[in-house]
Amino acid sequence: MSSEELFDWRSILIGFVGAGLVLSVLLITVGVDGIIAQLRKTQPAVIAILLGLIPLWLVAWGLCLHTVLRALGTPTSRVQSIVVFTAATFANQVTPFGQAGGEPISAFLISETADTEYENGLAAIASVDTLHFSPRLGWGSSVSDCSSCVGSTSVGTYSWLVSL
């Protein structure tokens, strides 16, 4: 594949412009002052750690998608799986109804990238989401067991962060 076939630069540019417009509307609606005020309250080290962990989180779950696709007999490269999972995460965040709205788009992205049927893409992303959600069930039950002795807010926040 040539690089022109791999990347459609016009589509990429349109995507970035669209994302920039959505972000601009959100910032105008919410207000930049409130966001900046909250960022000033946080410690720079915490922000730096989070900015370092977010890409690691996306890579880990992208590799999970890679494993699921391999198990379904639809091998893709690791990089493609990570990029598709990142796009799927974005779709889940910007579509109405969250996961329910983003899943069809995610399945379409997987089917196009992996050159497979739409149903296989839907099965793959549903499997990854199930794997993504499952640890929360275990952490939730362990938190409810010990929340009375430690304090539910700190333990609940900790369990939510660990399950990410």
Side-chain angles (χ1 to χ4, degrees), residues 4-19:
E4 289 179 17
E5 292 175 9
L6 187 60
F7 295 110
D8 181 6
W9 294 106
R10 186 176 48 194
S11 296
I12 293 170
L13 180 64
I14 290 170
F16 273 105
V17 169

Side-chain angles (χ1 to χ4, degrees), residues 47-134:
I47 294 173
I49 290 170
L50 287 175
L51 289 176
L53 289 177
I54 290 169
L56 292 175
W57 176 83
L58 288 169
V59 167
W61 284 106
L63 292 174
C64 180
L65 176 62
H66 174 72
T67 303
V68 168
L69 286 171
R70 258 191 17 218
L72 290 174
T74 312
T76 59
S77 73
R78 287 180 176 93
V79 173
Q80 283 179 323
S81 298
I82 293 166
V83 170
V84 168
F85 183 79
T86 303
T89 302
F90 178 77
N92 285 338
Q93 299 303 315
V94 298
T95 54
F97 308 115
Q99 295 289 110
E103 297 303 331
I105 296 170
S106 302
F108 173 75
L109 291 171
I110 292 169
S111 68
E112 288 294 312
T113 302
D115 195 28
T116 187
E117 295 178 7
Y118 176 81
E119 290 81 6
N120 289 344
L122 189 58
I125 197 65
S127 298
V128 170
D129 286 342
T130 301
L131 292 170
H132 195 181
F133 182 72
S134 297

Side-chain angles (χ1 to χ4, degrees), residues 15-32 35 90 94:
F16 273 105
V17 169
L21 289 173
V22 169
L23 184 59
S24 298
V25 168
L26 285 173
L27 288 175
I28 290 169
T29 304
V30 173
V32 178
I35 294 171
F90 178 77
V94 298

